[in-house]
Amino acid sequence: MSGIWKHKATIIDGQTFKLKELNIWDYQWEGTGNSIQIKDPMYGQDYKLNIYRIVKENIEIQFAAGEFSNCVWGIYLEST
């Protein structure tokens, strides 16, 4: 977790969102035990988002996610 986390998308619950060709809603999110502090890019509200990973065969993705409001999710990716 040495990089800077950047807002990638704000999506509604279940909306198709792919990282490395994997739709994040199709897989179990495994918590990493880590989190990040961010500001909602639209309203500037502070949030603590958990960092998750998904592993499928030889593909691994890691992202931070949290609900900005009911069924509205913020997705963040680490840039190194």
Side-chain angles (χ1 to χ4, degrees):
M1 289 191 4
S2 59
I4 296 171
W5 288 81
K6 294 188 177 184
H7 179 256
K8 181 68 175 176
T10 299
I11 59 176
I12 59 171
D13 196 42
Q15 178 182 344
T16 298
F17 182 76
K18 293 184 178 183
L19 294 171
K20 293 186 182 179
E21 302 305 316
L22 301 180
N23 179 16
I24 64 171
W25 303 108
D26 291 341
Y27 300 91
Q28 181 71 34
W29 299 3
E30 178 184 328
T32 65
N34 295 313
S35 61
I36 60 171
Q37 292 289 133
I38 59 94
K39 285 191 180 290
D40 173 345
M42 185 171 239
Y43 299 107
Q45 184 174 341
D46 292 322
Y47 288 94
K48 180 180 179 182
L49 304 183
N50 291 322
I51 299 173
Y52 300 96
R53 70 184 206 130
I54 296 171
V55 178
K56 182 184 182 227
E57 298 168 2
N58 62 342
I59 300 172
E60 180 177 342
I61 57 175
Q62 186 167 281
F63 58 96
E67 273 188 294
F68 286 160
S69 64
N70 192 30
C71 296
V72 177
W73 290 80
I75 308 294
Y76 284 72
L77 297 178
E78 184 177 27
S79 62
T80 54

PDB file of all heavy atoms in Angstrom, residues 23-46:
ATOM      1  N   ASN A  23     -15.657  -8.950 -13.801  1.00  0.00           N
ATOM      2  CA  ASN A  23     -16.711  -8.120 -13.240  1.00  0.00           C
ATOM      3  C   ASN A  23     -16.689  -8.328 -11.725  1.00  0.00           C
ATOM      4  O   ASN A  23     -16.926  -9.442 -11.248  1.00  0.00           O
ATOM      5  CB  ASN A  23     -18.066  -8.503 -13.828  1.00  0.00           C
ATOM      6  CG  ASN A  23     -19.200  -7.687 -13.247  1.00  0.00           C
ATOM      7  OD1 ASN A  23     -19.006  -6.648 -12.636  1.00  0.00           O
ATOM      8  ND2 ASN A  23     -20.410  -8.174 -13.437  1.00  0.00           N
ATOM      9  N   ILE A  24     -16.434  -7.280 -10.970  1.00  0.00           N
ATOM     10  CA  ILE A  24     -16.232  -7.433  -9.522  1.00  0.00           C
ATOM     11  C   ILE A  24     -17.439  -8.031  -8.815  1.00  0.00           C
ATOM     12  O   ILE A  24     -17.294  -8.666  -7.778  1.00  0.00           O
ATOM     13  CB  ILE A  24     -15.821  -6.106  -8.849  1.00  0.00           C
ATOM     14  CG1 ILE A  24     -16.923  -5.052  -8.951  1.00  0.00           C
ATOM     15  CG2 ILE A  24     -14.500  -5.606  -9.416  1.00  0.00           C
ATOM     16  CD1 ILE A  24     -16.674  -3.797  -8.134  1.00  0.00           C
ATOM     17  N   TRP A  25     -18.640  -7.871  -9.356  1.00  0.00           N
ATOM     18  CA  TRP A  25     -19.850  -8.383  -8.704  1.00  0.00           C
ATOM     19  C   TRP A  25     -20.028  -9.883  -8.907  1.00  0.00           C
ATOM     20  O   TRP A  25     -20.868 -10.499  -8.252  1.00  0.00           O
ATOM     21  CB  TRP A  25     -21.082  -7.628  -9.196  1.00  0.00           C
ATOM     22  CG  TRP A  25     -20.983  -6.161  -8.967  1.00  0.00           C
ATOM     23  CD1 TRP A  25     -20.781  -5.202  -9.918  1.00  0.00           C
ATOM     24  CD2 TRP A  25     -21.054  -5.467  -7.726  1.00  0.00           C
ATOM     25  NE1 TRP A  25     -20.723  -3.963  -9.343  1.00  0.00           N
ATOM     26  CE2 TRP A  25     -20.887  -4.096  -7.981  1.00  0.00           C
ATOM     27  CE3 TRP A  25     -21.234  -5.867  -6.397  1.00  0.00           C
ATOM     28  CZ2 TRP A  25     -20.903  -3.125  -6.989  1.00  0.00           C
ATOM     29  CZ3 TRP A  25     -21.249  -4.891  -5.404  1.00  0.00           C
ATOM     30  CH2 TRP A  25     -21.089  -3.557  -5.704  1.00  0.00           C
ATOM     31  N   ASP A  26     -19.251 -10.473  -9.791  1.00  0.00           N
ATOM     32  CA  ASP A  26     -19.380 -11.910 -10.061  1.00  0.00           C
ATOM     33  C   ASP A  26     -18.516 -12.767  -9.130  1.00  0.00           C
ATOM     34  O   ASP A  26     -18.548 -13.990  -9.235  1.00  0.00           O
ATOM     35  CB  ASP A  26     -18.973 -12.220 -11.513  1.00  0.00           C
ATOM     36  CG  ASP A  26     -19.964 -11.677 -12.521  1.00  0.00           C
ATOM     37  OD1 ASP A  26     -21.114 -11.380 -12.140  1.00  0.00           O
ATOM     38  OD2 ASP A  26     -19.578 -11.543 -13.708  1.00  0.00           O
ATOM     39  N   TYR A  27     -17.757 -12.149  -8.235  1.00  0.00           N
ATOM     40  CA  TYR A  27     -16.800 -12.885  -7.410  1.00  0.00           C
ATOM     41  C   TYR A  27     -16.918 -12.478  -5.944  1.00  0.00           C
ATOM     42  O   TYR A  27     -17.350 -11.367  -5.622  1.00  0.00           O
ATOM     43  CB  TYR A  27     -15.366 -12.625  -7.897  1.00  0.00           C
ATOM     44  CG  TYR A  27     -15.178 -13.051  -9.321  1.00  0.00           C
ATOM     45  CD1 TYR A  27     -15.393 -12.153 -10.360  1.00  0.00           C
ATOM     46  CD2 TYR A  27     -14.847 -14.359  -9.641  1.00  0.00           C
ATOM     47  CE1 TYR A  27     -15.261 -12.548 -11.685  1.00  0.00           C
ATOM     48  CE2 TYR A  27     -14.713 -14.763 -10.961  1.00  0.00           C
ATOM     49  CZ  TYR A  27     -14.920 -13.849 -11.977  1.00  0.00           C
ATOM     50  OH  TYR A  27     -14.798 -14.256 -13.279  1.00  0.00           O
ATOM     51  N   GLN A  28     -16.479 -13.375  -5.080  1.00  0.00           N
ATOM     52  CA  GLN A  28     -16.408 -13.083  -3.646  1.00  0.00           C
ATOM     53  C   GLN A  28     -15.248 -12.122  -3.397  1.00  0.00           C
ATOM     54  O   GLN A  28     -14.140 -12.358  -3.864  1.00  0.00           O
ATOM     55  CB  GLN A  28     -16.168 -14.398  -2.871  1.00  0.00           C
ATOM     56  CG  GLN A  28     -16.098 -14.234  -1.378  1.00  0.00           C
ATOM     57  CD  GLN A  28     -17.456 -13.914  -0.767  1.00  0.00           C
ATOM     58  OE1 GLN A  28     -18.478 -14.387  -1.235  1.00  0.00           O
ATOM     59  NE2 GLN A  28     -17.462 -13.108   0.269  1.00  0.00           N
ATOM     60  N   TRP A  29     -15.500 -11.039  -2.688  1.00  0.00           N
ATOM     61  CA  TRP A  29     -14.443 -10.094  -2.339  1.00  0.00           C
ATOM     62  C   TRP A  29     -13.760 -10.592  -1.069  1.00  0.00           C
ATOM     63  O   TRP A  29     -14.416 -10.814  -0.051  1.00  0.00           O
ATOM     64  CB  TRP A  29     -15.002  -8.710  -2.091  1.00  0.00           C
ATOM     65  CG  TRP A  29     -15.711  -8.075  -3.245  1.00  0.00           C
ATOM     66  CD1 TRP A  29     -15.959  -8.617  -4.478  1.00  0.00           C
ATOM     67  CD2 TRP A  29     -16.292  -6.778  -3.254  1.00  0.00           C
ATOM     68  NE1 TRP A  29     -16.657  -7.728  -5.247  1.00  0.00           N
ATOM     69  CE2 TRP A  29     -16.868  -6.585  -4.528  1.00  0.00           C
ATOM     70  CE3 TRP A  29     -16.371  -5.753  -2.316  1.00  0.00           C
ATOM     71  CZ2 TRP A  29     -17.520  -5.407  -4.886  1.00  0.00           C
ATOM     72  CZ3 TRP A  29     -17.016  -4.587  -2.669  1.00  0.00           C
ATOM     73  CH2 TRP A  29     -17.580  -4.414  -3.940  1.00  0.00           C
ATOM     74  N   GLU A  30     -12.474 -10.736  -1.121  1.00  0.00           N
ATOM     75  CA  GLU A  30     -11.700 -11.167   0.038  1.00  0.00           C
ATOM     76  C   GLU A  30     -11.084  -9.930   0.697  1.00  0.00           C
ATOM     77  O   GLU A  30     -10.313  -9.208   0.069  1.00  0.00           O
ATOM     78  CB  GLU A  30     -10.591 -12.120  -0.415  1.00  0.00           C
ATOM     79  CG  GLU A  30      -9.702 -12.599   0.692  1.00  0.00           C
ATOM     80  CD  GLU A  30      -8.558 -13.460   0.163  1.00  0.00           C
ATOM     81  OE1 GLU A  30      -8.740 -14.166  -0.841  1.00  0.00           O
ATOM     82  OE2 GLU A  30      -7.473 -13.395   0.773  1.00  0.00           O
ATOM     83  N   GLY A  31     -11.441  -9.669   1.938  1.00  0.00           N
ATOM     84  CA  GLY A  31     -10.877  -8.527   2.654  1.00  0.00           C
ATOM     85  C   GLY A  31      -9.390  -8.726   2.910  1.00  0.00           C
ATOM     86  O   GLY A  31      -8.955  -9.829   3.242  1.00  0.00           O
ATOM     87  N   THR A  32      -8.616  -7.659   2.756  1.00  0.00           N
ATOM     88  CA  THR A  32      -7.173  -7.738   2.994  1.00  0.00           C
ATOM     89  C   THR A  32      -6.816  -7.352   4.421  1.00  0.00           C
ATOM     90  O   THR A  32      -5.682  -7.522   4.834  1.00  0.00           O
ATOM     91  CB  THR A  32      -6.401  -6.812   2.036  1.00  0.00           C
ATOM     92  OG1 THR A  32      -6.749  -5.449   2.336  1.00  0.00           O
ATOM     93  CG2 THR A  32      -6.699  -7.134   0.577  1.00  0.00           C
ATOM     94  N   GLY A  33      -7.765  -6.792   5.147  1.00  0.00           N
ATOM     95  CA  GLY A  33      -7.491  -6.299   6.491  1.00  0.00           C
ATOM     96  C   GLY A  33      -6.967  -4.870   6.488  1.00  0.00           C
ATOM     97  O   GLY A  33      -6.717  -4.295   7.545  1.00  0.00           O
ATOM     98  N   ASN A  34      -6.832  -4.289   5.298  1.00  0.00           N
ATOM     99  CA  ASN A  34      -6.351  -2.912   5.167  1.00  0.00           C
ATOM    100  C   ASN A  34      -7.484  -2.004   4.703  1.00  0.00           C
ATOM    101  O   ASN A  34      -8.480  -2.468   4.147  1.00  0.00           O
ATOM    102  CB  ASN A  34      -5.197  -2.843   4.164  1.00  0.00           C
ATOM    103  CG  ASN A  34      -3.987  -3.607   4.637  1.00  0.00           C
ATOM    104  OD1 ASN A  34      -3.564  -3.472   5.781  1.00  0.00           O
ATOM    105  ND2 ASN A  34      -3.430  -4.431   3.767  1.00  0.00           N
ATOM    106  N   SER A  35      -7.298  -0.718   4.913  1.00  0.00           N
ATOM    107  CA  SER A  35      -8.294   0.262   4.483  1.00  0.00           C
ATOM    108  C   SER A  35      -7.587   1.556   4.095  1.00  0.00           C
ATOM    109  O   SER A  35      -6.399   1.734   4.367  1.00  0.00           O
ATOM    110  CB  SER A  35      -9.303   0.524   5.598  1.00  0.00           C
ATOM    111  OG  SER A  35      -8.655   1.043   6.735  1.00  0.00           O
ATOM    112  N   ILE A  36      -8.337   2.430   3.450  1.00  0.00           N
ATOM    113  CA  ILE A  36      -7.816   3.739   3.066  1.00  0.00           C
ATOM    114  C   ILE A  36      -8.803   4.809   3.506  1.00  0.00           C
ATOM    115  O   ILE A  36      -9.988   4.541   3.673  1.00  0.00           O
ATOM    116  CB  ILE A  36      -7.561   3.845   1.542  1.00  0.00           C
ATOM    117  CG1 ILE A  36      -8.858   3.618   0.749  1.00  0.00           C
ATOM    118  CG2 ILE A  36      -6.464   2.890   1.110  1.00  0.00           C
ATOM    119  CD1 ILE A  36      -8.740   3.925  -0.741  1.00  0.00           C
ATOM    120  N   GLN A  37      -8.317   6.010   3.683  1.00  0.00           N
ATOM    121  CA  GLN A  37      -9.149   7.175   3.982  1.00  0.00           C
ATOM    122  C   GLN A  37      -9.230   7.988   2.700  1.00  0.00           C
ATOM    123  O   GLN A  37      -8.207   8.291   2.088  1.00  0.00           O
ATOM    124  CB  GLN A  37      -8.529   8.027   5.088  1.00  0.00           C
ATOM    125  CG  GLN A  37      -8.505   7.382   6.453  1.00  0.00           C
ATOM    126  CD  GLN A  37      -9.877   7.270   7.072  1.00  0.00           C
ATOM    127  OE1 GLN A  37     -10.226   6.220   7.575  1.00  0.00           O
ATOM    128  NE2 GLN A  37     -10.669   8.313   7.060  1.00  0.00           N
ATOM    129  N   ILE A  38     -10.445   8.330   2.279  1.00  0.00           N
ATOM    130  CA  ILE A  38     -10.626   9.109   1.047  1.00  0.00           C
ATOM    131  C   ILE A  38     -11.698  10.169   1.264  1.00  0.00           C
ATOM    132  O   ILE A  38     -12.400  10.167   2.275  1.00  0.00           O
ATOM    133  CB  ILE A  38     -11.013   8.195  -0.147  1.00  0.00           C
ATOM    134  CG1 ILE A  38     -12.323   7.413   0.111  1.00  0.00           C
ATOM    135  CG2 ILE A  38      -9.897   7.221  -0.456  1.00  0.00           C
ATOM    136  CD1 ILE A  38     -13.537   8.070  -0.415  1.00  0.00           C
ATOM    137  N   LYS A  39     -11.808  11.048   0.285  1.00  0.00           N
ATOM    138  CA  LYS A  39     -12.904  12.010   0.236  1.00  0.00           C
ATOM    139  C   LYS A  39     -13.735  11.682  -0.991  1.00  0.00           C
ATOM    140  O   LYS A  39     -13.195  11.469  -2.074  1.00  0.00           O
ATOM    141  CB  LYS A  39     -12.371  13.442   0.125  1.00  0.00           C
ATOM    142  CG  LYS A  39     -11.807  13.976   1.412  1.00  0.00           C
ATOM    143  CD  LYS A  39     -11.557  15.478   1.291  1.00  0.00           C
ATOM    144  CE  LYS A  39     -10.993  16.044   2.570  1.00  0.00           C
ATOM    145  NZ  LYS A  39     -11.940  16.065   3.659  1.00  0.00           N
ATOM    146  N   ASP A  40     -15.034  11.635  -0.806  1.00  0.00           N
ATOM    147  CA  ASP A  40     -15.953  11.443  -1.927  1.00  0.00           C
ATOM    148  C   ASP A  40     -15.635  12.528  -2.961  1.00  0.00           C
ATOM    149  O   ASP A  40     -15.624  13.711  -2.636  1.00  0.00           O
ATOM    150  CB  ASP A  40     -17.382  11.579  -1.402  1.00  0.00           C
ATOM    151  CG  ASP A  40     -18.452  11.575  -2.474  1.00  0.00           C
ATOM    152  OD1 ASP A  40     -18.146  11.747  -3.666  1.00  0.00           O
ATOM    153  OD2 ASP A  40     -19.620  11.416  -2.109  1.00  0.00           O
ATOM    154  N   PRO A  41     -15.350  12.145  -4.222  1.00  0.00           N
ATOM    155  CA  PRO A  41     -14.950  13.138  -5.220  1.00  0.00           C
ATOM    156  C   PRO A  41     -16.052  14.128  -5.584  1.00  0.00           C
ATOM    157  O   PRO A  41     -15.765  15.213  -6.078  1.00  0.00           O
ATOM    158  CB  PRO A  41     -14.553  12.289  -6.428  1.00  0.00           C
ATOM    159  CG  PRO A  41     -15.285  11.010  -6.253  1.00  0.00           C
ATOM    160  CD  PRO A  41     -15.385  10.788  -4.769  1.00  0.00           C
ATOM    161  N   MET A  42     -17.300  13.790  -5.302  1.00  0.00           N
ATOM    162  CA  MET A  42     -18.388  14.692  -5.663  1.00  0.00           C
ATOM    163  C   MET A  42     -18.745  15.654  -4.532  1.00  0.00           C
ATOM    164  O   MET A  42     -18.943  16.841  -4.763  1.00  0.00           O
ATOM    165  CB  MET A  42     -19.616  13.889  -6.076  1.00  0.00           C
ATOM    166  CG  MET A  42     -20.750  14.738  -6.588  1.00  0.00           C
ATOM    167  SD  MET A  42     -22.031  13.704  -7.300  1.00  0.00           S
ATOM    168  CE  MET A  42     -22.042  14.367  -8.941  1.00  0.00           C
ATOM    169  N   TYR A  43     -18.798  15.161  -3.295  1.00  0.00           N
ATOM    170  CA  TYR A  43     -19.265  15.979  -2.182  1.00  0.00           C
ATOM    171  C   TYR A  43     -18.203  16.269  -1.127  1.00  0.00           C
ATOM    172  O   TYR A  43     -18.443  17.031  -0.203  1.00  0.00           O
ATOM    173  CB  TYR A  43     -20.484  15.318  -1.518  1.00  0.00           C
ATOM    174  CG  TYR A  43     -21.634  15.160  -2.471  1.00  0.00           C
ATOM    175  CD1 TYR A  43     -21.979  13.921  -2.975  1.00  0.00           C
ATOM    176  CD2 TYR A  43     -22.366  16.266  -2.886  1.00  0.00           C
ATOM    177  CE1 TYR A  43     -23.036  13.772  -3.865  1.00  0.00           C
ATOM    178  CE2 TYR A  43     -23.418  16.133  -3.776  1.00  0.00           C
ATOM    179  CZ  TYR A  43     -23.742  14.888  -4.266  1.00  0.00           C
ATOM    180  OH  TYR A  43     -24.783  14.752  -5.152  1.00  0.00           O
ATOM    181  N   GLY A  44     -17.042  15.616  -1.230  1.00  0.00           N
ATOM    182  CA  GLY A  44     -15.952  15.876  -0.302  1.00  0.00           C
ATOM    183  C   GLY A  44     -16.112  15.253   1.072  1.00  0.00           C
ATOM    184  O   GLY A  44     -15.362  15.575   1.986  1.00  0.00           O
ATOM    185  N   GLN A  45     -17.081  14.354   1.234  1.00  0.00           N
ATOM    186  CA  GLN A  45     -17.292  13.695   2.520  1.00  0.00           C
ATOM    187  C   GLN A  45     -16.187  12.668   2.752  1.00  0.00           C
ATOM    188  O   GLN A  45     -15.768  11.964   1.837  1.00  0.00           O
ATOM    189  CB  GLN A  45     -18.656  13.009   2.547  1.00  0.00           C
ATOM    190  CG  GLN A  45     -18.983  12.383   3.869  1.00  0.00           C
ATOM    191  CD  GLN A  45     -20.410  11.845   3.907  1.00  0.00           C
ATOM    192  OE1 GLN A  45     -21.257  12.214   3.110  1.00  0.00           O
ATOM    193  NE2 GLN A  45     -20.666  10.962   4.844  1.00  0.00           N
ATOM    194  N   ASP A  46     -15.707  12.563   3.996  1.00  0.00           N
ATOM    195  CA  ASP A  46     -14.671  11.598   4.348  1.00  0.00           C
ATOM    196  C   ASP A  46     -15.250  10.197   4.490  1.00  0.00           C
ATOM    197  O   ASP A  46     -16.332  10.014   5.043  1.00  0.00           O
ATOM    198  CB  ASP A  46     -14.008  11.981   5.677  1.00  0.00           C
ATOM    199  CG  ASP A  46     -13.185  13.255   5.566  1.00  0.00           C
ATOM    200  OD1 ASP A  46     -12.536  13.448   4.528  1.00  0.00           O
ATOM    201  OD2 ASP A  46     -13.188  14.045   6.522  1.00  0.00           O
TER     202      ASP A  46
END
